[in-house]
Amino acid sequence: MGVKFISWTLFLNLLLEMSCYGSEGAMEMGGGHMDHHHMDPSVMVFFTLKDLKIGKTMPIHFPKRDPSASPKFWPREEADSIPFSLNQLPNLLKHFFFSKDSPQAAAMENTLRECESKTIKGEIKLCATSLESMLDFAQEMIGSGSGIQAFSTSHKTKSSVNFQNYTILEILAEIPAPKMVACHTMPYPYAVFYCHSQKSENRVYKISLVGENGDKVEAMVVCHLDTSQWSPTHISFRVLKVVPGSSSVCHFFPADHLIFVPKLQTQGFSSM
């Protein structure tokens, strides 16, 4: 079986969303610059709502990945035919022919552990192991009264640069999101998305950015207006130097992460 894993950088980007993840280091964001030597670039995706303005420059990490090298969704029947559980990890490693000390085993263990971790107050989550289960969850969270529409970040120019300063050129749209589901890729032998929905107020934006080397990105942004229930160890608080509940937290989405919102509320906007 040809099994491919997404990179650890992508895994770290996913964990930015989760309250159990911590990080060492500190950052200075004076005028959109920082101390590159004391902060992992992969965590540089956070900012506050007051920084969402045309002309603002900030360091951002947009990982570049080859879609052909990423794991693919299995059909629901095939994915459901094997356990997706931490207590079954030894059997799963045998199934995929991975040794218990391999990097793949560590990635699988971390994914399963995150998928089984407790949620924060007001949050509902699902680790979707098939496209069908992801769409079913998004529809359930948003409600059966409307369709769903997916948005994702798109790179308008080809570049191998993952991390640089970007300037906001235009706020293309504030996308109505009375309900929202965010889905993030996880490292696993087949495609797994960590999908979650929160009852707290969120805002969704599509913005146009240009990098210092000319790269152009149409990026999806989610701003969480209420962070009072988040863990104090959430990496965003370290990056932004704020505490839970004291500030909004906005973040950019990598290109292969998805945002689902009600379709009837997004007429006139282009999605993925």
Side-chain angles (χ1 to χ4, degrees), residues 11 15 18 20 84-87 89 106-118 125 127 186 188 194:
F11 185 47
L15 290 177
M18 303 177 189
C20 62
F84 186 79
S85 173
L86 185 60
N87 62 21
L89 181 60
M108 289 178 67
E109 179 178 358
N110 276 290
T111 289
L112 292 168
R113 194 174 300 279
E114 293 302 333
C115 288
E116 295 179 10
S117 65
K118 293 182 179 179
K125 73 174 184 179
C127 277
M186 299 288 279
Y188 212 68
Y194 180 103

Side-chain angles (χ1 to χ4, degrees), residues 25-95:
M27 175 195 77
E28 300 295 335
M29 285 193 68
H33 298 282
M34 67 172 190
D35 184 350
H36 291 191
H37 302 290
H38 294 89
M39 177 62 68
D40 182 345
S42 67
V43 305
M44 301 307 300
V45 296
F46 296 106
F47 62 101
T48 62
L49 191 57
K50 65 180 177 62
D51 292 320
L52 184 59
K53 55 188 178 183
I54 295 173
K56 176 68 177 180
T57 297
M58 64 185 85
I60 307 170
H61 182 261
F62 281 118
K64 306 293 192 302
R65 289 179 288 275
D66 179 4
S68 66
S70 298
K72 302 299 186 289
F73 269 128
W74 283 5
R76 190 201 295 255
E77 296 77 11
E78 188 174 356
D80 289 348
S81 68
I82 60 174
F84 186 79
S85 173
L86 185 60
N87 62 21
Q88 291 293 317
L89 181 60
N91 294 329
L92 289 168
L93 294 179
K94 291 179 182 178
H95 181 85

